[in-house]
Amino acid sequence: MKKVKKILLSGFLVLLLILSTFATWIYSQVDSALPVLSGKTTIMGLSANAIIDRDIQGIPTIKTDSRADLAVATGFIHAQERFFQMDLLRRNAAGELASLFGAMAVNYDKSIRLHRFRDRAVTILNQLPKEQLALVNAYTIGVNEGLRALKAKPFEYLLLQQEPVAWREEDSILTILSMYLDLQYKDGARERTLGLIQANFSPAIYAFLNPKGSIWDAAIDNTQYSPAPLPKISWQTQQNTSAQHMQTNPTYVAKTDYSSEDFPGSNNWAVAGEISSTGSAIVANDMHLGIRVPNTWFRASFEYQDKNEQAIKVTGLTLPGTPLMVTGSNGNIAWGFTNSYGDWNDVIILETNDDNSQYLTPEGYKNFTYHKQMIAIKGEPSAEITIKETIWGPVIGQNEKQQLLALRWVAHDIQAVNFYAQQLEKAKNINEAFNIANQLGIPAQNMMVGDKAGDISWTIAGPIPKKSADFGEVPTSWADGKNHWQGYLPKSQYPNVKQPQQHRLWTANSRVVGGKMLAKIGNGGYALGARSQQIRDNLFAKEIFDEKALLSIALDNKAKFLERWQQFILNNVLNQQPIQQTTNEHLTHWQEIKAVLSEEDLRASTDSVAYRFVRNFRINLRDEVFEALNQQLTQLDKHYQFHTIRHQIETPLWQLIHAQPKHFLNDKHKTWSEYFNAALEKTYHDMTINQPLSAATWGQQNTTDIRHPITNGVPLLSSWLNMPATALPGDSYMPLVQGKAFGASERMVVSPGHEESGILHMPTSQAGHPLSPYYRLGHKDWEQGKPSPFLPGKTKYTLTLLSY
């Protein structure tokens, strides 16, 4: 027995030794993947030495003698800090995630391969101007040198048991194409949804569900559009489809999604020198994206000499994967972006021959072209798919009438991507900035620019299709040649607003302008104007602004959008008549709700129960009111997505609940009060599961869940890699946009020439490595809305890159 115990003890000690050795090896590998912060490192690609000074948060100031060397150094530091993030961006656009994550990513890769973005990236690369190509080449050298200089591969590849693949020049183009996937509809979903509604309901119903304007509109040119009146016939009594077809699609199942209001976009606004404390313009920008670890952006300051030996200094945000400064200030201009929801793609109904082997064009019938694609899958044989294309773009599916559909999209053209934004680093005023902005190859953005002289301006940055006619809201045929794109809008015709008389400008993903300018941009699904309106009102509430005053607008969580909903519940739902007709239990609930909703200053604050209740009630009532519509349209076409029109639905929803037309009632609810009561009870029920209503705060629902993507597959690493879960104020229909893993990916306020008093903070941190000395540093400033300095701080680490 003693011998057995001795053997077991020896075995245990050996196992412990093996485990400790393995753990030590793992730690050493992870530790060896840390970026080089100090000392000297010799790398290829430089014409002269480069200096990288980092402050305590890891924010670098990169100093070189030329822009080419700056690109090399930027690539080096991006790869050292963020290579896995860069890899995900290029794979996301190329449809190559399955080679990293296996079968779980195959379906996504298949959906992306429709666009053949890697092929298109190579085509774009080969036609770049010489200067831009040199920039990309230099950056690529820097990335691969940065990867080579790591003592071990980035820790994510250790966990995935993969080797990192070297960066290629076209990967920087794929990085920008990945932003197209984030910011624009890749599958024509909204246009297909509107087309389904138009094809199966009356013009009155279509106009009602697709209003041209609302009371929330806050365009910078003061244009207004009216919503449509209530239709005389409801969607529940009108259908233009066969019962047989409706049975082929799944039944719609209502699922409450209280996070459904997230809307990729941004806020930006500017004040002119006449009303700024600095005498120069002040530009504010917070770009709203999904937030994960590490953050989308990487802060940096560039110092170099241009070809004319002019000293350039520009500070702001870079996008790892590209050599460009995305937003920031160069001392003469400051600029920022919000996503423009213009009409950047069109769904085309194909007129085919009997066997669908050809499609009609203005030149007659043409054969489809086919492209084979191989999808590499980790741990499995590769999968082959075939992409079917037309002269206009790939075939993306069928509509409810079994007609083939193709997609015409800006992202498929060579105009989609270029690196001309590098010229913004040298622009001296709004006019020079405009000349650059209207030639940029990026997903179309609302660009806000302010200059040192005090002038402010707005324009669209990115390619704008020039259309032959007024079409594109719904799918159309292009067979007869009447509908087509006539290339792209020349820069001389771009919409813009310069030096407004009110000395204020603002955008927030809603309609910015009307009339002829709107006709050029189109409507690809604008946000409701509530955020824009609240920003506008805040800008007119003061006469003079400094940077902190503009930051306070970004942090405004007042629920102006929901104030009328609060009053609606109090006055129309919790009224005396239904209270007298309900049960004692419901009466108790309603009295409790009424007490909660007496809160006068409704805000999306973490301790507010009233805000959470009003917000969720609205969502529940919306889902109840449009449940029959969603049921019908889902049965017609499984590709129908209510989500794509959820913001514009606010206007018809408000009209319905106030007019309360009997012909819009259904078998489920015989009166409008039943609709209201059902939404009220569901909201109460969902908020009081295992807790009293008084504990159901907005902060409880709006607690952050900001993750490193690796932890989705390895949850044991969550506490090591993810950001702490924190209850935060803010929501969607207000300037302070905040969700669980969505919100301001940065907040910037800066006056050109006065960068020392500027403000910039962002979530997570600079670091992508959990053992970095500045991992998570700066995250609390973002959480708390602190006015962190725009410029990098005192140098803590200095790295010298030596040229061969």
Side-chain angles (χ1 to χ4, degrees), residues 583-598:
T583 64
N584 288 335
E585 182 182 12
H586 287 173
L587 178 60
T588 302
H589 292 173
W590 290 3
Q591 289 172 339
E592 188 179 3
I593 294 166
K594 194 169 186 177
V596 164
L597 296 189
S598 61

Side-chain angles (χ1 to χ4, degrees), residues 426-475:
K426 300 182 286 185
K428 291 183 170 57
N429 53 56
I430 61 170
N431 291 322
E432 290 186 14
F434 268 25
N435 185 55
I436 298 164
N438 302 153
Q439 300 179 67
L440 297 186
I442 59 173
Q445 301 289 297
N446 294 303
M447 184 173 181
M448 193 71 69
V449 184
D451 64 25
K452 190 174 182 179
D455 295 330
I456 59 175
S457 58
W458 162 89
T459 190
I460 295 291
I464 300 178
K466 186 177 181 181
K467 298 189 177 183
S468 61
D470 182 14
F471 66 90
E473 191 170 66
V474 297

Side-chain angles (χ1 to χ4, degrees), residues 139-209:
Y139 180 78
T140 301
I141 292 171
V143 170
N144 290 323
E145 286 296 289
L147 191 59
R148 183 186 61 81
L150 293 172
K151 295 178 181 178
K153 60 189 176 184
F155 76 93
E156 295 94 343
Y157 298 96
L158 180 67
L159 295 170
L160 292 167
Q161 299 180 30
Q162 295 271 340
E163 292 298 322
V165 178
W167 196 256
R168 295 158 63 174
E169 282 82 359
E170 64 265 28
D171 292 339
S172 289
I173 294 168
L174 285 169
T175 299
I176 299 175
L177 289 172
S178 191
M179 299 306 291
Y180 272 92
L181 292 171
D182 277 353
L183 299 173
Q184 297 179 7
Y185 287 111
K186 66 180 182 294
D187 53 6
R190 181 177 183 272
E191 195 168 318
R192 293 175 71 172
T193 290
L194 289 176
L196 185 67
I197 295 171
Q198 186 192 63
N200 290 280
F201 297 116
S202 68
I205 291 177
Y206 177 74
F208 180 64
L209 294 173

Side-chain angles (χ1 to χ4, degrees), residues 32-49:
S32 295
L34 280 165
V36 182
L37 302 183
S38 303
K40 297 179 180 180
T41 299
T42 302
I43 68 171
M44 293 178 59
L46 292 173
S47 62
N49 295 347

Side-chain angles (χ1 to χ4, degrees), residues 496-563:
N496 64 75
V497 174
K498 293 183 180 180
Q499 303 178 39
Q501 291 184 350
Q502 70 268 28
H503 308 308
R504 299 160 173 87
L505 286 171
W506 59 92
T507 80
N509 311 123
S510 55
R511 181 177 61 82
V512 179
V513 290
K516 292 181 179 179
M517 286 194 287
L518 177 61
K520 293 177 181 179
I521 301 168
N523 180 1
Y526 289 116
L528 197 70
R531 269 189 293 127
S532 296
Q533 192 176 109
Q534 197 160 334
I535 292 168
R536 178 200 66 188
D537 293 348
N538 284 335
L539 286 172
F540 281 96
K542 289 174 67 74
E543 294 300 323
I544 297 292
F545 293 87
D546 60 12
E547 292 89 343
K548 289 183 179 179
L550 291 188
L551 177 64
S552 70
I553 295 176
L555 301 175
D556 180 13
N557 66 357
K558 188 169 179 61
K560 289 188 176 181
F561 169 69
L562 288 180
E563 285 175 347

